[in-house]
Amino acid sequence: LLIDGLIDAKQFNQSALELTKKLGYSLKPLSKTNSLRRQPFLFAALPQGLNNQPLQIMGDRGAILVYGNLASLWGLDEQLSLSREKIRSAQELGINILNYAYQRRYFTQLLH
């Protein structure tokens, strides 16, 4: 489960946290050693979102909550204002999320 929201969207963020609680997740900020921050791309600091604030990521097992509108950094920028570094960092973090999901699914299947 991946939820991507804005840092300033308090009502949406609260609803997302309530939803994840109902689904049995206990979201916590990622540690610096979490595989989402390390594989395959290493992030000492998370990339910056649209408003130049660092993305905030919380996770628990198969749920990931991203504050900072990460998906908008992946897409087409109509104003052509995003730097290549910002776009690439967001894409690399997206690849880390896909890698995490793949590994989680693979190991879950091995257990069954």
Side-chain angles (χ1 to χ4, degrees):
L1 172 65
L2 174 63
I3 301 172
D4 183 26
L6 296 169
I7 292 174
D8 300 333
K10 299 207 185 298
Q11 186 174 5
F12 173 82
N13 295 337
Q14 187 61 35
S15 296
L17 286 173
E18 289 173 13
L19 172 65
T20 56
K21 273 189 181 176
K22 285 181 184 177
L23 294 173
Y25 297 106
S26 177
L27 299 178
K28 298 175 203 102
L30 295 183
S31 69
K32 294 200 184 270
T33 60
N34 189 294
S35 63
L36 280 170
R37 294 182 71 147
R38 298 180 52 193
Q39 295 175 358
F41 299 100
L42 179 62
F43 287 94
L46 293 173
Q48 292 186 349
L50 287 178
N51 52 4
N52 291 325
Q53 293 179 329
L55 296 174
Q56 298 171 18
I57 302 179
M58 299 176 71
D60 178 37
R61 295 172 286 147
I64 303 167
L65 178 58
V66 180
Y67 296 125
N69 206 1
L70 176 63
S72 67
L73 297 172
W74 295 333
L76 187 61
D77 175 24
E78 297 294 330
Q79 291 80 29
L80 303 175
S81 61
L82 295 175
S83 70
R84 180 180 178 156
E85 179 183 341
K86 186 177 274 195
I87 295 168
R88 178 166 281 181
S89 293
Q91 290 173 340
E92 289 174 351
L93 183 58
I95 291 169
N96 282 17
I97 291 170
L98 290 172
N99 182 63
Y100 175 83
Y102 171 78
Q103 286 183 350
R104 179 163 170 75
R105 181 179 171 143
Y106 176 76
F107 289 123
T108 301
Q109 287 177 341
L110 283 178
L111 292 174
H112 294 288

